[in-house]
Amino acid sequence: MMNILFFGGLVLYFAAMVLCFAGMVFKKEKLESVSWIIFLAAFAAETVYLVARGVIAKRLPLSNQFEFAAAFSWSIGALLVFMYYRLKTDWVRPVGIAAAFLILSYAAIQPKEITDLMPALRSYWFGFHIGSAALSYAGFMLAGGVGIRYLMLKKKNAPEETLEQMDYFTYRLIALGLLMLTITILTGAIWAEKAWSAFWTWDPKEVWALITWIIYAVYLHLRVNRHRSPEFLAWYAILSVPVVLFTFVGVNTLLPGLHSYGAIVRSIF
């Protein structure tokens, strides 16, 4: 049943992505509407899956690379639903659905066994630290996607009002992501002091989290002070995404450290 929920959600995300892009390319609003319904079904399946996994494991499903990737994908979906219904930003659907599918596809190739938490992870900081990281990455990922949409619509001479809205929401997503990453780093430092008697150890994950924080702090500085054009900032948001993905995937694969726990528990972030 768990596999049906997970892989069913993955297939539905893929179908939603294909239909959404087809509707956008061929200008068929009905296809886009159907793709959104399918996306909501996929998001619901992923939500049920994560809740069920948490109940079975008797903990938050955030303890390893698979669970974090699934939570990352779910966070993208949650932000997308919020932006669509609350903020009426339908232009974010294509990139948001694609991002949720790609991250969940990465999760699909990770080991899915449910394991007990290692002693270092048994802390009330567990949910705050890792949950804020997932939401932070989701905000940065969507900001990059909105940047892509901005450049595409700018080339098509979209209304200036739409472009201004997209620039503003890129800024808001990055502001949210930076806030959540700040919480991630601070709670991680407090947790590390309790677990390893040191607030900061220059572990590769810590270093790359700091690099990511600096990169997006620079974006906010440029955006707030109007030092660069919206086109430049859109490219900045896009080109910053690989840093996020390296912090998420590359560090665990290439630069093992305190945040790696072998094959069983690979990541705290």
Side-chain angles (χ1 to χ4, degrees):
M1 183 62 183
M2 294 289 286
N3 282 336
I4 291 174
L5 281 172
F6 178 81
F7 287 104
L10 184 63
V11 170
L12 288 172
Y13 273 134
F14 178 73
M17 180 182 68
V18 171
L19 288 176
C20 188
F21 279 109
M24 184 176 64
V25 171
F26 297 109
K27 303 186 186 305
K28 299 290 185 180
E29 290 187 10
K30 190 171 183 179
L31 281 179
E32 293 188 55
S33 297
V34 172
S35 78
W36 182 248
I37 293 171
I38 295 174
F39 165 77
L40 291 177
F43 181 68
E46 186 177 16
T47 302
V48 173
Y49 175 82
L50 288 173
V51 170
R53 187 178 178 95
V55 170
I56 293 170
K58 298 180 181 179
R59 57 169 172 75
L60 291 174
L62 297 168
S63 72
N64 54 43
Q65 192 78 336
F66 166 75
E67 292 179 348
F68 182 84
F72 183 2
S73 171
W74 183 90
S75 297
I76 292 172
L79 284 177
L80 184 57
V81 169
F82 176 78
M83 290 180 69
Y84 181 76
Y85 285 113
R86 180 67 178 173
L87 306 177
K88 310 300 181 184
T89 53
D90 60 340
W91 35 259
V92 77
R93 285 186 298 179
V95 291
I97 294 172
F101 167 72
L102 291 173
I103 298 300
L104 197 62
S105 296
Y106 170 75
I109 64 175
Q110 301 301 309
K112 301 174 184 61
E113 294 81 9
I114 296 176
T115 58
D116 292 332
L117 286 178
M118 295 189 70
L121 298 179
R122 294 171 188 166
S123 168
Y124 49 80
W125 294 109
F126 176 71
F128 290 108
H129 180 61
I130 306 176
S132 61
L135 190 56
S136 169
Y137 291 0
F140 294 147
M141 191 86 169
L142 272 179
V146 175
I148 293 172
R149 289 289 284 153
Y150 177 93
L151 294 175
M152 290 173 61
L153 293 179
K154 177 75 173 178
K155 192 173 182 180
K156 294 180 180 179
N157 298 314
E160 194 64 31
E161 182 180 353
T162 300
L163 295 175
E164 289 178 359
Q165 185 187 38
M166 296 176 79
D167 173 57
Y168 179 61
F169 277 108
T170 302
Y171 158 65
R172 290 183 70 176
L173 285 165
I174 288 178
L176 171 66
L178 192 63
L179 172 63
M180 291 296 103
L181 185 57
T182 302
I183 292 173
T184 300
I185 293 173
L186 291 177
T187 55
I190 296 170
W191 191 4
E193 198 279 331
K194 291 182 177 295
W196 299 307
S197 301
F199 288 104
W200 190 268
T201 61
W202 296 103
D203 178 76
K205 197 70 155 183
E206 295 172 349
V207 172
W208 277 93
L210 180 60
I211 290 171
T212 304
W213 190 95
I214 292 171
I215 286 172
Y216 283 103
V218 170
Y219 170 94
L220 288 188
H221 171 75
L222 295 175
R223 175 63 171 72
V224 171
N225 292 284
R226 302 288 182 179
H227 288 321
R228 293 291 186 273
S229 67
E231 290 88 345
F232 175 90
L233 293 173
W235 276 112
Y236 193 109
I238 295 166
L239 296 176
S240 298
V241 169
V243 178
V244 176
L245 295 178
F246 183 79
T247 304
F248 167 45
V249 179
V251 172
N252 294 339
T253 304
L254 302 174
L255 304 171
L258 287 175
H259 287 80
S260 297
Y261 295 92
I264 297 177
V265 178
R266 294 187 180 181
S267 173
I268 282 182
F269 281 151

